Amino acid sequence: MNSFGIAKLIIIFLSLSYLGVIFLLNYNSQENIEKRCMLKFEKDFKIPLETPHEEWVLILDLADNNYLKCMGISKY
């Protein structure tokens, strides 16, 4: 393999590595984690209006616990 082919392989490898690192930094940023957790929290939060109060409280507690767990915050 000539030096030009080796240089192309090195450039491709470094480019993919750079893009991978940028993606992971963006994906794991605090803002994106909060957005993903809020979407999960909102899915747990959708409750029909005719739900009894006791069940409503249990569902809210579960949704709140899931949000805190998603954010990586321990409850105790």
Coordinates of all heavy atoms in Angstrom, one line a residue:
M1 N 0.9 -1.2 0.0 CA 0.0 0.0 0.0 C 0.9 1.2 0.0 O 1.9 1.3 0.7 CB -0.9 0.0 1.2 CG -2.0 0.9 1.2 SD -3.1 0.9 2.6 CE -4.3 -0.2 2.1
N2 N 0.6 2.2 -0.8 CA 1.4 3.4 -0.9 C 1.1 4.3 0.3 O 0.1 4.2 1.0 CB 1.2 4.1 -2.2 CG -0.2 4.5 -2.5 OD1 -1.0 4.5 -1.6 ND2 -0.5 4.8 -3.8
S3 N 1.8 5.4 0.4 CA 1.7 6.3 1.5 C 0.4 7.1 1.4 O -0.2 7.5 2.4 CB 2.9 7.3 1.6 OG 2.9 8.0 0.4
F4 N -0.1 7.3 0.2 CA -1.4 8.0 0.0 C -2.6 7.2 0.6 O -3.5 7.7 1.2 CB -1.6 8.4 -1.5 CG -2.9 9.1 -1.7 CD1 -3.0 10.4 -1.2 CD2 -4.0 8.6 -2.4 CE1 -4.2 11.1 -1.4 CE2 -5.1 9.2 -2.6 CZ -5.2 10.5 -2.1
G5 N -2.5 5.9 0.3 CA -3.6 5.0 0.8 C -3.6 4.9 2.4 O -4.6 4.9 3.0
I6 N -2.4 4.9 2.9 CA -2.2 4.8 4.4 C -2.7 6.1 5.0 O -3.4 6.1 6.0 CB -0.8 4.6 4.8 CG1 -0.4 3.2 4.3 CG2 -0.6 4.7 6.3 CD1 1.1 2.9 4.5
A7 N -2.4 7.3 4.3 CA -2.9 8.6 4.8 C -4.4 8.7 4.8 O -5.0 9.2 5.7 CB -2.2 9.7 4.0
K8 N -5.0 8.1 3.7 CA -6.5 8.1 3.6 C -7.1 7.3 4.8 O -8.1 7.7 5.4 CB -6.9 7.6 2.3 CG -6.8 8.5 1.1 CD -7.6 8.2 -0.1 CE -7.5 6.7 -0.5 NZ -8.1 6.4 -1.8
L9 N -6.5 6.1 5.0 CA -7.0 5.3 6.1 C -6.9 6.0 7.5 O -7.8 6.0 8.3 CB -6.3 4.0 6.2 CG -6.7 3.0 5.1 CD1 -5.8 1.7 5.2 CD2 -8.1 2.6 5.2
I10 N -5.8 6.7 7.7 CA -5.6 7.4 9.0 C -6.6 8.5 9.1 O -7.2 8.7 10.2 CB -4.1 7.9 9.1 CG1 -3.2 6.7 9.3 CG2 -4.0 8.9 10.2 CD1 -1.7 7.0 9.2
I11 N -6.8 9.3 8.0 CA -7.8 10.4 8.0 C -9.2 9.9 8.3 O -9.9 10.5 9.1 CB -7.6 11.2 6.7 CG1 -6.3 12.0 6.7 CG2 -8.8 12.2 6.6 CD1 -6.0 12.6 5.4
I12 N -9.6 8.8 7.6 CA -10.9 8.2 7.8 C -11.1 7.8 9.2 O -12.1 8.0 9.9 CB -11.2 7.1 6.8 CG1 -11.3 7.7 5.4 CG2 -12.4 6.3 7.2 CD1 -11.3 6.6 4.3
F13 N -10.1 7.1 9.8 CA -10.2 6.6 11.2 C -10.3 7.8 12.2 O -11.1 7.7 13.1 CB -9.0 5.7 11.5 CG -8.9 5.3 12.9 CD1 -9.8 4.3 13.4 CD2 -8.0 5.9 13.8 CE1 -9.8 3.9 14.7 CE2 -8.0 5.5 15.2 CZ -8.9 4.5 15.6
L14 N -9.5 8.8 12.0 CA -9.5 9.9 12.9 C -10.8 10.7 12.8 O -11.4 11.2 13.8 CB -8.3 10.9 12.6 CG -6.9 10.3 13.0 CD1 -5.8 11.3 12.6 CD2 -6.9 10.0 14.5
S15 N -11.3 10.8 11.5 CA -12.6 11.5 11.3 C -13.8 10.8 12.0 O -14.6 11.4 12.7 CB -12.9 11.6 9.9 OG -11.9 12.4 9.2
L16 N -13.8 9.5 11.9 CA -14.8 8.7 12.5 C -14.7 8.7 14.0 O -15.7 8.8 14.8 CB -14.8 7.2 12.0 CG -15.3 7.0 10.6 CD1 -15.1 5.6 10.2 CD2 -16.7 7.5 10.4
S17 N -13.5 8.7 14.5 CA -13.3 8.8 16.0 C -13.7 10.1 16.5 O -14.4 10.2 17.5 CB -11.8 8.6 16.3 OG -11.4 7.3 15.9
Y18 N -13.4 11.2 15.8 CA -13.8 12.5 16.2 C -15.4 12.6 16.2 O -15.9 13.2 17.2 CB -13.2 13.6 15.3 CG -13.6 15.0 15.6 CD1 -13.1 15.6 16.6 CD2 -14.6 15.6 14.7 CE1 -13.5 16.9 16.9 CE2 -15.0 16.9 15.0 CZ -14.4 17.6 16.1 OH -14.8 18.8 16.4
L19 N -16.0 12.2 15.2 CA -17.5 12.2 15.1 C -18.1 11.4 16.2 O -19.1 11.8 16.8 CB -18.0 11.7 13.7 CG -17.7 12.7 12.6 CD1 -18.1 12.0 11.3 CD2 -18.4 14.0 12.8
G20 N -17.5 10.2 16.5 CA -18.0 9.4 17.6 C -17.9 10.1 19.0 O -18.9 10.1 19.8
V21 N -16.8 10.8 19.2 CA -16.6 11.5 20.5 C -17.6 12.7 20.6 O -18.2 12.9 21.6 CB -15.2 12.0 20.6 CG1 -15.0 13.0 21.8 CG2 -14.2 10.8 20.8
I22 N -17.7 13.4 19.5 CA -18.7 14.5 19.5 C -20.1 14.1 19.7 O -20.9 14.7 20.5 CB -18.6 15.3 18.2 CG1 -17.2 16.0 18.0 CG2 -19.7 16.4 18.0 CD1 -16.9 17.0 19.1
F23 N -20.5 13.0 19.1 CA -21.8 12.4 19.3 C -22.1 12.0 20.8 O -23.1 12.4 21.4 CB -22.1 11.2 18.4 CG -23.3 10.4 18.8 CD1 -24.6 10.9 18.4 CD2 -23.3 9.3 19.5 CE1 -25.7 10.3 18.7 CE2 -24.5 8.6 19.8 CZ -25.7 9.1 19.4
L24 N -21.1 11.3 21.4 CA -21.2 10.9 22.8 C -21.3 12.1 23.7 O -22.1 12.1 24.7 CB -20.1 10.0 23.1 CG -20.2 8.6 22.5 CD1 -18.9 7.8 22.9 CD2 -21.4 7.8 22.9
L25 N -20.5 13.1 23.5 CA -20.5 14.3 24.3 C -21.9 15.0 24.2 O -22.4 15.4 25.2 CB -19.4 15.3 23.9 CG -18.0 14.8 24.3 CD1 -17.0 15.8 23.8 CD2 -17.9 14.7 25.8
N26 N -22.4 15.1 23.0 CA -23.7 15.7 22.8 C -24.8 14.9 23.4 O -25.7 15.4 24.1 CB -24.0 16.0 21.3 CG -25.2 16.7 21.1 OD1 -25.6 17.6 21.8 ND2 -25.9 16.4 20.0
Y27 N -24.8 13.6 23.2 CA -25.8 12.7 23.7 C -25.9 12.7 25.2 O -26.9 12.6 25.8 CB -25.6 11.2 23.2 CG -26.6 10.3 23.5 CD1 -27.9 10.2 22.8 CD2 -26.5 9.4 24.6 CE1 -28.8 9.3 23.2 CE2 -27.4 8.4 24.9 CZ -28.6 8.4 24.2 OH -29.6 7.5 24.5
N28 N -24.7 12.7 25.8 CA -24.6 12.7 27.3 C -24.6 14.1 28.0 O -24.3 14.2 29.1 CB -23.4 11.9 27.7 CG -23.6 10.4 27.4 OD1 -24.7 9.9 27.5 ND2 -22.5 9.8 27.0
S29 N -24.9 15.1 27.2 CA -24.9 16.4 27.8 C -26.1 16.5 28.8 O -27.1 15.8 28.6 CB -25.0 17.5 26.8 OG -26.3 17.5 26.2
Q30 N -26.0 17.4 29.8 CA -27.1 17.5 30.8 C -28.4 17.9 30.2 O -29.4 17.4 30.6 CB -26.6 18.5 31.9 CG -27.5 18.6 33.1 CD -27.5 17.3 33.9 OE1 -26.5 16.5 33.9 NE2 -28.6 17.0 34.5
E31 N -28.4 18.8 29.2 CA -29.6 19.2 28.6 C -30.3 18.0 27.9 O -31.6 17.9 28.0 CB -29.4 20.3 27.5 CG -28.9 21.6 28.1 CD -28.6 22.6 27.0 OE1 -28.9 22.3 25.8 OE2 -28.1 23.7 27.4
N32 N -29.6 17.2 27.2 CA -30.2 16.1 26.5 C -30.7 15.0 27.4 O -31.7 14.4 27.2 CB -29.3 15.5 25.4 CG -29.1 16.4 24.2 OD1 -30.0 17.2 23.9 ND2 -28.0 16.3 23.6
I33 N -30.0 14.8 28.5 CA -30.4 13.9 29.5 C -31.7 14.3 30.1 O -32.7 13.6 30.3 CB -29.4 13.6 30.6 CG1 -28.2 12.9 30.0 CG2 -29.9 12.9 31.8 CD1 -27.0 12.8 30.9
E34 N -31.8 15.6 30.4 CA -33.1 16.2 31.0 C -34.2 16.0 30.0 O -35.3 15.7 30.4 CB -32.9 17.6 31.4 CG -32.0 17.8 32.6 CD -31.8 19.3 32.9 OE1 -32.4 20.2 32.3 OE2 -30.9 19.6 33.8
K35 N -34.0 16.3 28.7 CA -35.0 16.2 27.7 C -35.6 14.7 27.6 O -36.8 14.5 27.6 CB -34.5 16.6 26.4 CG -34.4 18.1 26.2 CD -33.8 18.5 24.9 CE -33.5 20.0 24.8 NZ -32.9 20.3 23.5
R36 N -34.6 13.8 27.6 CA -35.0 12.4 27.5 C -35.8 12.0 28.8 O -36.8 11.2 28.7 CB -33.8 11.5 27.4 CG -33.2 11.5 26.0 CD -32.2 10.4 25.8 NE -31.1 10.4 26.7 CZ -30.0 11.0 26.6 NH1 -29.7 11.7 25.6 NH2 -29.1 10.8 27.5
C37 N -35.4 12.4 29.9 CA -36.1 12.1 31.2 C -37.4 12.7 31.3 O -38.4 12.1 31.7 CB -35.2 12.5 32.4 SG -33.7 11.5 32.6
M38 N -37.6 14.0 30.8 CA -38.9 14.6 30.8 C -39.8 13.9 29.9 O -41.0 13.8 30.2 CB -38.7 16.1 30.3 CG -38.2 17.0 31.4 SD -39.2 17.0 32.9 CE -40.7 17.7 32.4
L39 N -39.4 13.4 28.7 CA -40.3 12.7 27.8 C -40.7 11.4 28.5 O -41.9 11.0 28.4 CB -39.5 12.3 26.5 CG -39.3 13.5 25.6 CD1 -38.5 13.1 24.4 CD2 -40.7 14.1 25.1
K40 N -39.8 10.7 29.2 CA -40.3 9.5 29.9 C -41.2 9.8 31.1 O -42.2 9.1 31.3 CB -39.0 8.8 30.5 CG -38.2 8.1 29.5 CD -37.0 7.4 30.1 CE -36.1 6.8 29.1 NZ -34.9 6.2 29.8
F41 N -41.0 10.9 31.8 CA -41.8 11.4 32.9 C -43.2 11.7 32.3 O -44.2 11.3 32.9 CB -41.2 12.6 33.5 CG -42.0 13.2 34.7 CD1 -42.0 12.5 35.9 CD2 -42.7 14.3 34.5 CE1 -42.7 13.1 36.9 CE2 -43.4 14.9 35.5 CZ -43.5 14.2 36.7
E42 N -43.3 12.4 31.2 CA -44.6 12.8 30.6 C -45.4 11.6 30.2 O -46.6 11.6 30.4 CB -44.4 13.8 29.5 CG -43.9 15.1 29.9 CD -43.5 16.0 28.7 OE1 -43.6 15.6 27.6 OE2 -43.2 17.2 29.0
K43 N -44.7 10.5 29.7 CA -45.4 9.3 29.4 C -46.0 8.7 30.6 O -47.2 8.2 30.5 CB -44.5 8.3 28.7 CG -44.1 8.7 27.3 CD -43.2 7.8 26.7 CE -42.7 8.2 25.3 NZ -41.7 7.3 24.7
D44 N -45.3 8.6 31.7 CA -45.8 8.1 32.9 C -46.9 8.9 33.5 O -47.8 8.4 34.3 CB -44.7 7.9 34.0 CG -43.7 6.9 33.7 OD1 -44.0 6.0 32.8 OD2 -42.6 6.9 34.2
F45 N -46.9 10.2 33.2 CA -47.8 11.2 33.8 C -49.2 11.2 33.2 O -50.2 11.7 33.8 CB -47.2 12.5 33.8 CG -47.9 13.6 34.6 CD1 -47.9 13.5 36.0 CD2 -48.5 14.6 34.0 CE1 -48.5 14.5 36.7 CE2 -49.1 15.6 34.7 CZ -49.1 15.5 36.1
K46 N -49.4 10.7 32.0 CA -50.7 10.7 31.3 C -51.6 9.7 32.0 O -51.5 8.5 31.9 CB -50.5 10.4 29.8 CG -49.7 11.4 29.1 CD -49.6 11.1 27.6 CE -48.8 12.3 27.0 NZ -48.5 12.0 25.6
I47 N -52.6 10.3 32.6 CA -53.6 9.5 33.4 C -55.0 10.0 33.0 O -55.3 11.2 32.9 CB -53.4 9.8 34.9 CG1 -51.9 9.5 35.3 CG2 -54.3 8.9 35.8 CD1 -51.5 10.0 36.7
P48 N -55.9 9.0 32.9 CA -57.3 9.4 32.6 C -57.9 10.2 33.7 O -57.5 10.0 34.9 CB -58.0 8.1 32.4 CG -57.0 7.0 32.3 CD -55.7 7.6 32.8
L49 N -58.8 11.1 33.4 CA -59.4 12.0 34.4 C -60.3 11.2 35.5 O -60.4 11.7 36.6 CB -60.3 13.0 33.8 CG -59.5 14.1 32.9 CD1 -60.5 15.0 32.3 CD2 -58.6 14.8 33.8
E50 N -60.8 10.1 35.1 CA -61.7 9.3 36.0 C -60.9 8.4 37.0 O -61.5 7.7 37.7 CB -62.7 8.5 35.2 CG -62.1 7.4 34.3 CD -61.8 8.0 32.9 OE1 -62.1 9.1 32.6 OE2 -61.2 7.2 32.2
T51 N -59.6 8.6 37.1 CA -58.8 7.8 38.0 C -59.1 8.2 39.4 O -59.1 9.4 39.7 CB -57.3 8.0 37.6 OG1 -57.1 7.7 36.3 CG2 -56.4 7.2 38.5
P52 N -59.2 7.3 40.3 CA -59.4 7.6 41.7 C -58.2 8.3 42.3 O -57.1 8.2 41.9 CB -59.7 6.3 42.4 CG -59.8 5.3 41.4 CD -59.3 5.9 40.1
H53 N -58.5 9.1 43.4 CA -57.4 9.9 44.0 C -56.2 9.1 44.5 O -55.1 9.4 44.3 CB -58.0 10.8 45.1 CG -56.9 11.6 45.8 ND1 -56.4 12.7 45.2 CD2 -56.4 11.5 47.1 CE1 -55.5 13.2 46.1 NE2 -55.5 12.5 47.2
E54 N -56.5 7.9 45.1 CA -55.5 7.1 45.7 C -54.6 6.6 44.6 O -53.4 6.5 44.7 CB -56.1 5.9 46.5 CG -56.8 6.3 47.7 CD -58.3 6.8 47.4 OE1 -58.8 6.5 46.3 OE2 -58.8 7.5 48.3
E55 N -55.2 6.1 43.5 CA -54.4 5.6 42.4 C -53.6 6.7 41.7 O -52.5 6.5 41.3 CB -55.3 4.9 41.3 CG -54.6 4.2 40.3 CD -55.5 3.5 39.3 OE1 -56.7 3.3 39.7 OE2 -55.1 3.1 38.2
W56 N -54.2 7.9 41.6 CA -53.5 9.1 41.1 C -52.2 9.4 41.9 O -51.2 9.6 41.3 CB -54.5 10.3 41.2 CG -54.0 11.6 40.7 CD1 -53.4 12.5 41.5 CD2 -53.9 12.1 39.4 NE1 -53.0 13.6 40.8 CE2 -53.3 13.4 39.5 CE3 -54.3 11.6 38.2 CZ2 -53.1 14.2 38.3 CZ3 -54.1 12.4 37.0 CH2 -53.5 13.6 37.2
V57 N -52.3 9.3 43.2 CA -51.1 9.6 44.0 C -50.1 8.5 43.8 O -48.9 8.9 43.7 CB -51.5 9.7 45.5 CG1 -50.3 9.7 46.4 CG2 -52.4 10.9 45.8
L58 N -50.5 7.3 43.7 CA -49.5 6.2 43.4 C -48.8 6.4 42.1 O -47.6 6.2 41.9 CB -50.2 4.8 43.5 CG -50.6 4.4 44.9 CD1 -51.4 3.1 44.8 CD2 -49.5 4.3 45.9
I59 N -49.6 6.7 41.1 CA -49.0 6.9 39.7 C -48.1 8.1 39.7 O -47.0 8.0 39.1 CB -50.1 7.1 38.7 CG1 -50.9 5.8 38.6 CG2 -49.6 7.5 37.4 CD1 -52.2 5.9 37.7
L60 N -48.4 9.2 40.4 CA -47.5 10.3 40.5 C -46.2 10.0 41.2 O -45.1 10.4 40.8 CB -48.2 11.5 41.2 CG -49.3 12.2 40.4 CD1 -49.9 13.3 41.2 CD2 -48.7 12.8 39.1
D61 N -46.3 9.2 42.3 CA -45.1 8.8 43.0 C -44.2 7.9 42.1 O -43.0 8.1 42.1 CB -45.5 8.0 44.2 CG -45.9 8.9 45.4 OD1 -45.7 10.1 45.3 OD2 -46.6 8.4 46.3
L62 N -44.8 7.0 41.4 CA -44.1 6.2 40.4 C -43.4 7.0 39.3 O -42.2 6.8 39.0 CB -45.0 5.1 39.8 CG -44.3 4.2 38.8 CD1 -43.2 3.3 39.5 CD2 -45.4 3.3 38.1
A63 N -44.1 7.9 38.8 CA -43.6 8.8 37.7 C -42.4 9.6 38.3 O -41.4 9.8 37.6 CB -44.7 9.7 37.1
D64 N -42.6 10.2 39.5 CA -41.6 11.0 40.1 C -40.3 10.2 40.4 O -39.2 10.6 40.1 CB -42.1 11.6 41.4 CG -41.1 12.6 42.0 OD1 -40.6 13.4 41.2 OD2 -41.0 12.6 43.2
N65 N -40.5 9.0 40.9 CA -39.4 8.1 41.1 C -38.6 7.7 39.8 O -37.4 7.7 39.8 CB -39.8 6.8 41.8 CG -40.2 7.1 43.3 OD1 -39.8 8.1 43.9 ND2 -41.0 6.2 43.8
N66 N -39.4 7.4 38.8 CA -38.8 7.1 37.5 C -38.0 8.3 36.9 O -36.9 8.1 36.4 CB -39.8 6.7 36.5 CG -40.4 5.3 36.8 OD1 -39.8 4.6 37.5 ND2 -41.5 5.0 36.2
Y67 N -38.5 9.5 37.1 CA -37.8 10.7 36.7 C -36.5 10.9 37.4 O -35.4 11.1 36.8 CB -38.7 12.0 36.8 CG -38.0 13.2 36.4 CD1 -37.7 13.5 35.1 CD2 -37.5 14.1 37.4 CE1 -37.1 14.7 34.7 CE2 -36.8 15.3 37.0 CZ -36.6 15.5 35.7 OH -36.0 16.7 35.3
L68 N -36.5 10.7 38.7 CA -35.3 10.9 39.5 C -34.3 9.8 39.2 O -33.1 10.1 39.1 CB -35.7 10.9 41.0 CG -36.5 12.0 41.6 CD1 -36.9 11.8 43.0 CD2 -35.7 13.3 41.4
K69 N -34.8 8.6 39.0 CA -33.9 7.5 38.6 C -33.2 7.8 37.3 O -32.1 7.5 37.1 CB -34.7 6.2 38.6 CG -33.8 5.0 38.4 CD -34.6 3.7 38.7 CE -35.0 3.0 37.4 NZ -35.7 1.8 37.6
C70 N -34.0 8.3 36.3 CA -33.5 8.6 35.0 C -32.4 9.7 35.1 O -31.4 9.6 34.4 CB -34.6 9.0 34.1 SG -34.2 9.5 32.4
M71 N -32.6 10.6 35.9 CA -31.7 11.8 36.1 C -30.4 11.3 36.9 O -29.5 12.1 36.9 CB -32.3 13.0 36.8 CG -33.4 13.7 35.9 SD -32.6 14.5 34.5 CE -31.6 15.7 35.2
G72 N -30.5 10.2 37.5 CA -29.4 9.7 38.3 C -29.3 10.3 39.7 O -28.3 10.4 40.4
I73 N -30.5 10.8 40.2 CA -30.6 11.4 41.5 C -31.2 10.3 42.5 O -32.2 9.8 42.2 CB -31.5 12.6 41.5 CG1 -30.9 13.6 40.5 CG2 -31.6 13.2 42.9 CD1 -31.9 14.8 40.3
S74 N -30.4 10.0 43.5 CA -31.0 9.0 44.5 C -32.0 9.7 45.4 O -31.9 10.9 45.8 CB -29.9 8.5 45.4 OG -29.2 9.5 46.1
K75 N -33.1 9.0 45.7 CA -34.2 9.6 46.5 C -33.8 9.7 47.9 O -34.2 10.6 48.6 CB -35.4 8.7 46.3 CG -36.6 9.4 46.9 CD -37.9 8.6 46.6 CE -39.1 9.2 47.2 NZ -40.3 8.6 46.9
Y76 N -32.9 8.8 48.4 CA -32.6 8.9 49.9 C -31.1 9.2 50.0 O -30.3 8.9 49.4 CB -32.9 7.6 50.5 CG -34.4 7.2 50.4 CD1 -34.8 6.3 49.5 CD2 -35.3 7.9 51.2 CE1 -36.1 6.0 49.3 CE2 -36.6 7.6 51.1 CZ -37.1 6.6 50.1 OH -38.4 6.3 50.0

